[in-house]
Amino acid sequence: MKKILCATRGGEASQRMQDAVISLAKEEGATILFLYVVDVEFLRLTARGVRPDVMTTEMEHMGEFLLAMACERATAQGVVAETCLRHGPLIEALESAARDEGADAIAFGRPAGPDSSFSLADLEALTAQLEEDIGITTYIL
């Protein structure tokens, strides 16, 4: 059975993305692998006394909760979903999860506005690069 990898976070845009990938999975008879990536590199930008290990643990707990919610949404719509939590930069985590978990495709949400992580042009370049680097189908939903 085909497996679609979908990186997710919390929030309204992520919920719209989850609904879109759930619909795609239904159409294609696929399962979904929801991915949450913990990256605490941003902590290097502050001079405050912050413990990266504590922040990592808190972000892992939050990620596990958000992944469980995504799976519940998929299950409620009749789609089988699994979860994966990774650490490090997003692109590296996407590539390694796709390879390690046997994903056939990666789905991305269309940028929702100026606060999105990627512009549409950057996202299109990323999907083209992923298709070339790891030979995987990508979707922008």
Side-chain angles (χ1 to χ4, degrees):
M1 179 176 272
K2 184 174 184 177
K3 185 183 291 187
I4 303 170
L5 175 64
C6 175
T8 191
R9 302 180 300 178
E12 195 174 314
S14 288
Q15 290 175 3
R16 284 192 305 271
M17 171 55 188
Q18 290 167 11
D19 287 338
V21 78
I22 290 166
S23 293
L24 176 64
K26 285 169 111 174
E27 289 172 21
E28 298 198 0
T31 62
I32 301 171
L33 177 63
F34 286 113
L35 170 69
Y36 186 85
V37 180
V38 176
D39 185 357
V40 295
E41 283 300 307
F42 69 92
L43 294 175
R44 293 177 186 237
L45 301 175
T46 183
R48 302 179 96 180
V50 179
R51 290 187 48 200
D53 58 327
V54 172
M55 286 295 296
T56 297
T57 300
E58 292 300 318
M59 290 178 72
E60 286 172 348
H61 292 310
M62 180 179 67
E64 289 166 355
F65 176 75
L66 293 170
L67 289 169
M69 287 177 48
C71 281
E72 285 179 13
R73 293 168 67 84
T75 300
Q77 296 182 54
V79 174
V80 174
E82 304 169 21
T83 65
C84 180
L85 190 138
R86 296 284 170 125
H87 296 87
L90 176 63
I91 306 309
E92 291 174 22
L94 280 168
E95 289 180 353
S96 68
R99 285 187 183 110
D100 297 348
E101 303 292 333
D104 300 290
I106 302 175
F108 293 92
R110 185 168 296 281
D115 295 333
S116 295
S117 297
F118 294 94
S119 68
L120 182 56
D122 289 342
L123 187 56
E124 289 170 340
L126 170 62
T127 58
Q129 190 65 48
L130 286 169
E131 288 180 358
E132 183 178 321
D133 288 351
I134 59 176
I136 196 163
T137 302
T138 59
Y139 300 97
I140 299 175
L141 306 174

